[in-house]
Amino acid sequence: MEPELPPASEERPDPVPMLLDGLTESQAKAVQATEGPVLVLAAAGSGKTRVITRRIAFLVACGVPPWSIMALTFTNKAAGEMRERVMKLTSDILGLPESTARGLTVTTFHSLCARLLRRFAEPAGLKPDFTIYDSSDQVSLVKKTIESLQLSTSNWPARSVLGAISAAKNQLLDAEAFAARSQDFYSKTISKIYTSYDKAMRTAGAVDFDDLLVLTAKTLKNDASVRDECRRRWKYLLIDEYQDTNHAQFVIASMLAGDDTSSGPAGPNIFVVGDPDQAIYGWRGADITNILEFEDHYPRAKVITLGENFRSTEPILAIADGLIRNNQLRKHKDLYTSTPGGDKVEVTLTRDEHHEASLIADWFKKLHDGDFAGPKAHRGLAWREMAVLYRTNALSRVIEDTLRASGIPYMIARGTAFYEREEVRNALAYLRVVANAADSVSLGRIINVPTRGLGATTIGKLEETADMQGIPLMQAVRMAPQIPGVNARALAACARFIELIDNWTGNGSFMGSELSGSLADLVERVIRESGLEAMYRAQAAAGKNESDLERLDNLAELVSSARDFELEYQPDSDPALDAPIADRPQTVPPLLAMLRAYLESVSLVADADTVDPEQGAVTMLTLHAAKGLEFPAVAIIGLEEGMLPHVRALQSEREMEEERRLCFVGITRAMRHLHMSTAKYRTIRGLSERTIPSRFVSELNQKHCIFSDQSAIDSGLAGTGWDGEPRTERHIVEEDESGNSISRGGGGGGGGGGKYPVGCLVRHPQFGVGRVRQIAGGLNARATVEFKTVGTKTLVLEYARLQRLDGGE
DNA sequence: TTGCGATCCCTTTTT
DNA sequence: GGGATCGCAA
């Protein structure tokens, strides 16, 4: 459709210039290029969110109906913020009512898919009351599957089997296609598990996170009427963080957008924004070629580059740039800022993780207090303006303890943490069974919680019956009287349990005088009448530990979360309640629809969703969860080999580069203050281990950093410095013309010589005799040694205890 | 059938 | 260090 300008309102100035106000030339270009495919390569901090929101408002200003615009983001929180900002633009600048933004579709891929699958459940081969299984549900189901195939769960660990299944799904290989290409024993077995896992999922009326995407992609691909209906509705598609989309998401986007020839004169209106340097989800199947080959897929695409960084000070940007230059598999783009100056980046070596945590707490306190004297006088930062970033969640614990002890308010961004607590999971499992009686995993979880005399023996019989007949577990419970070997006590327990559930569902009708129609009331009833409340109350009274009281609070919290949801819930925007398909009348009772929507929202929370800038607290989050956020002050911890980069990435160059991008993402979250730290010793699963500073530290542009070694201070240990050698001797690092540190191999000239020139013979206490092939410099120099017996290894000189054999010193 | 304690095992990131 | 599982006692 050709956009039309709305009739100029008399008292308002032309809104279009106002929407472009304050944008750079390329930003404005991206906002205005409304027709046809557009790729925006947006460097970190280059204002891409701004571009997307302005563009949506611009489209609306051009007369595009809001309901025909769809924007896809990575997290619910990003979606919510985007909607807010668009709403503000359309009401402040365009003078449109707030309801305008309601019609917009701003959501995540996963939420969109969940909604489409409910709406088009039948063509997708699902029932609209499907449950979304999270990874622990998946694990229980796949374990059961493995057991029922008579395989050993130790030979076939659920996690890795699921990984293989997930990888297959991400390539859009269904069980059948996977079976067809399985040749060897391993993949044939995986294929068997995949097939029966899939069957069990369908029997349970459940889908996993991958299924949400895969089934949507498949339905859009195979069902023209579904595809056409979507295309009729959405004419303008915007996708954020495009570098982290996987193949299924690519297919969904392409299907929604239409292909290059069949849509409008300029091609499909698909607008994608991303940055290949911030691709950090390769492990989850994200396919960076989606963004790299966008132009091949849409030959008429306009490509717009946003290079100027508006977020960070010069030193922060410079070290980010210098770091990412070490990635070889990358097209370089310059990062630049028009605002020079700023504090240098602090890089600290600490004694251990406790020392690290307390230094960071001190750093935060100093920033919080501010400095009102001297040339660098500044007001203090609020706690909410600071963040601690780490590679793995396990690192958060010590930081948490230290911040608490220091009286610094903090919050951990773990959106799912609340819903993962035992008591909450139990309550939700009851609710899931209420919403979807076929959900056997949830039923299995609560059928005997609190204990009601349905022990392992009885449940085993019920499951056996369910498996044999291919029916959901709940149906077997209802058939209990016909199952041989179920004793009278168990039968009575089954009957009581069935009555319990039926009371909550109004015998499946979700209507009647017994049910209030309120979601919060239902949740409360379930918690009380299931006996969960009494069970935890009894445990609390027995005084085993304090967390039992907390459990009751959490259950109350769940009720209030349901109440909040109920207040926000808009039935008219629930696709399950959309105009019914063709001749079938709409029959979903409102309470059931609301319950489904609630459970869905609970299933799709992301860690980053809980980052609340209103809170006066330091935010703690993983590097992954930090994507898309920014903070005036950032501390990145654990810059150690094996931590960042993570051990799992050490063997592959591709994964190593992803780790480097992850570090890059962390650095570029910082606006003004950045602190990076390495602990010399770190306790990993109870054992204190000597660490090796991360190679990324040695890749930081030294001109913009202040290195300090605190590891010997306040301790009896002799100071050994960043790499165990006096500082003057460790400058094996070379600088290129702009001062960027480049770790280089090939020690010919660059000072890599030292004790072990390339080509010399050495002996290693464990690996034996070998020849040095390469010396890499940096704060912790490494040698690549080709051993006679064990092959080539890369060793850190400080720790390797190499002995030179051919002359030398 | 349940509940508790010892032991074993594993260790990334997340929608 | 912590979660899952297994084995044993009540």
Side-chain angles (χ1 to χ4, degrees), chain A residues 193-248:
Chain A
I193 302 171
Y194 185 2
T195 306
S196 57
Y197 168 74
D198 236 26
K199 209 171 127 224
M201 288 289 278
R202 291 304 96 86
T203 307
V207 297
D208 60 29
F209 287 123
D210 297 319
D211 287 335
L212 286 174
L213 301 176
V214 169
L215 295 176
T216 305
K218 222 171 164 179
T219 309
L220 285 170
K221 216 169 166 178
N222 298 339
D223 191 311
S225 71
V226 172
R227 188 169 62 231
D228 290 344
E229 189 171 331
C230 290
R231 284 188 190 169
R232 266 199 303 280
R233 155 124 199 220
W234 291 295
K235 302 287 186 187
Y236 289 86
L237 182 56
L238 298 89
I239 307 174
D240 195 10
E241 308 283 12
Y242 195 65
Q243 77 282 353
D244 283 323
T245 52
N246 65 21
H247 182 62

Side-chain angles (χ1 to χ4, degrees), chain A residues 481-502:
Chain A
Q482 285 110 66
I483 299 172
V486 180
N487 64 41
R489 246 185 64 191
L491 277 183
C494 286
R496 274 198 307 275
F497 183 72
I498 290 165
E499 197 192 340
L500 196 62
I501 305 281
D502 285 348

Side-chain angles (χ1 to χ4, degrees), chain A residues 288-531:
Chain A
I288 197 163
T289 58
N290 287 347
I291 193 165
L292 299 178
E293 291 170 7
F294 187 81
E295 293 166 76
D296 299 333
H297 196 71
Y298 298 104
R300 286 180 287 174
K302 295 189 193 78
V303 181
I304 297 167
T305 309
L306 305 179
E308 183 176 355
N309 178 296
F310 301 97
R311 179 187 295 152
S312 308
T313 58
E314 199 181 6
I316 293 170
L317 208 57
I319 66 154
D321 180 65
L323 176 79
I324 202 70
R325 276 171 191 269
N326 287 279
N327 273 3
Q328 306 298 314
L329 312 168
R330 157 181 191 269
K331 206 164 88 185
H332 179 71
K333 61 179 182 301
D334 282 315
L335 283 176
Y336 54 95
T337 170
S338 46
T339 50
D343 291 348
K344 286 193 175 187
V345 175
E346 293 179 48
V347 188
T348 310
L349 180 67
T350 72
R351 210 160 49 237
D352 57 25
E353 67 274 16
H354 299 283
H355 185 212
E356 176 181 55
S358 72
L359 285 179
I360 283 165
D362 291 346
W363 189 64
F364 282 159
K365 273 189 192 152
K366 217 169 70 196
L367 289 169
H368 183 67
D369 291 343
D371 180 359
F372 299 97
K376 285 195 173 173
H378 61 88
R379 67 170 183 88
L381 293 178
W383 297 122
R384 66 167 176 281
E385 293 177 294
M386 312 176 191
V388 187
L389 271 46
Y390 36 82
R391 177 64 233 265
T392 66
N393 284 300
L395 294 187
S396 67
R397 220 196 142 94
V398 175
I399 299 288
E400 187 185 359
D401 293 345
T402 307
L403 291 182
R404 192 190 301 119
S406 314
I408 297 175
Y410 66 88
M411 54 168 300
I412 300 178
R414 278 219 87 186
T416 51
F418 176 73
Y419 300 103
E420 277 165 8
R421 313 192 64 136
E422 176 202 306
E423 65 277 17
V424 175
R425 280 196 79 99
N426 283 338
L428 287 173
Y430 272 104
L431 289 167
R432 283 168 159 203
V433 171
V434 167
N436 169 19
D439 181 348
S440 304
V441 170
S442 298
L443 179 58
R445 194 186 163 87
I446 45 87
I447 190 165
N448 201 30
V449 177
T451 52
R452 48 170 69 87
L454 290 171
T457 322
T458 310
I459 294 173
K461 289 212 174 71
L462 294 172
E463 277 181 339
E464 199 183 317
T465 307
D467 274 357
M468 296 230 302
Q469 310 204 10
I471 53 171
L473 183 58
M474 189 65 178
Q475 225 162 304
V477 177
R478 290 182 187 276
M479 285 167 48
Q482 285 110 66
I483 299 172
V486 180
N487 64 41
R489 246 185 64 191
L491 277 183
C494 286
R496 274 198 307 275
F497 183 72
I498 290 165
E499 197 192 340
L500 196 62
I501 305 281
D502 285 348
N503 269 335
W504 296 326
T505 64
N507 288 313
S509 71
F510 285 87
M511 286 185 271
S513 54
E514 283 286 297
L515 292 172
S516 76
S518 150
L519 178 65
D521 285 357
L522 177 67
V523 176
E524 201 172 3
R525 264 190 81 179
V526 166
I527 291 172
R528 187 160 19 88
E529 295 172 10
S530 65

Side-chain angles (χ1 to χ4, degrees), chain A residues 658-705:
Chain A
E658 181 154 311
E659 296 290 309
R660 193 175 279 110
R661 289 195 292 271
L662 197 51
C663 188
F664 173 83
V665 165
I667 292 171
T668 53
R669 300 309 96 197
M671 297 163 77
R672 300 203 293 281
H673 308 279
L674 176 61
H675 185 279
M676 301 172 83
S677 52
T678 302
K680 202 178 218 169
Y681 289 88
R682 186 173 295 279
T683 307
I684 299 163
R685 40 166 206 232
L687 283 173
S688 174
E689 285 173 11
R690 180 73 146 102
T691 67
I692 300 166
S694 168
R695 69 193 69 196
F696 301 151
V697 169
S698 60
E699 292 169 6
L700 300 177
N701 184 330
Q702 309 203 349
K703 218 165 67 182
H704 297 285
C705 299

Side-chain angles (χ1 to χ4, degrees), chain A residues 4-18:
Chain A
E4 282 169 46
L5 287 175
S9 152
E10 306 196 354
E11 61 267 51
R12 267 181 191 280
D14 186 358
V16 168
M18 290 180 68

